[in-house]
Amino acid sequence: ADVLFEVTGNPTVIPPLLKLARREARVILLGSPRGPSQVDFHEEVHRLGLHLIGAHTSTHPDHETAQQPWTRARNEQLFLDLVAAGLVKVGELITHRYAATDAPAAYAVLLEDRTRAIGVILDWANISLT
């Protein structure tokens, strides 16, 4: 593949992912994998000339530069434009829904095993703020 995305956050998927890359492919680590991963950098990265890209919002500049035109604000606007155009369907990413009063249970799920929850909604309907 020319471009590969790691979106799971699971470090064990990185070695098999690298095996799918063609010479000089780009591998974008989007899922913020945490924990150790077994990679033979000589054989699986250097030999193929792979480009590993750590894609985290903290790496985007606040102000556009010639070297980095994609600011955090520009990325956010693109995302919202894609959602508005129906090209990104965020509804399909919702895995859990909780009444706002059940927020502790929602956070418990997130703390227990973050891989089980992709999108968590706290429903504030019928909640009195007074």
Side-chain angles (χ1 to χ4, degrees), residues 12-67:
T12 64
V13 303
I14 294 173
L17 179 75
L18 295 177
K19 293 182 183 348
L20 301 173
R22 69 155 174 83
R23 184 171 299 285
E24 296 186 12
R26 290 177 287 161
V27 179
I28 294 93
L29 303 174
L30 186 64
S32 295
R34 289 170 175 80
S37 182
Q38 286 288 348
V39 175
D40 180 339
F41 277 90
H42 180 267
E43 291 300 312
E44 299 172 33
V45 178
H46 293 292
R47 188 176 55 77
L48 293 173
L50 298 184
H51 302 268
L52 298 180
I53 302 168
H56 198 278
T57 58
S58 66
T59 65
H60 297 283
D62 291 329
H63 304 287
E64 183 176 332
T65 66
Q67 293 77 28

Side-chain angles (χ1 to χ4, degrees), residues 76-87:
E76 289 169 359
Q77 187 59 55
L78 174 62
F79 175 74
L80 293 173
D81 290 346
L82 292 171
V83 170
L87 297 172

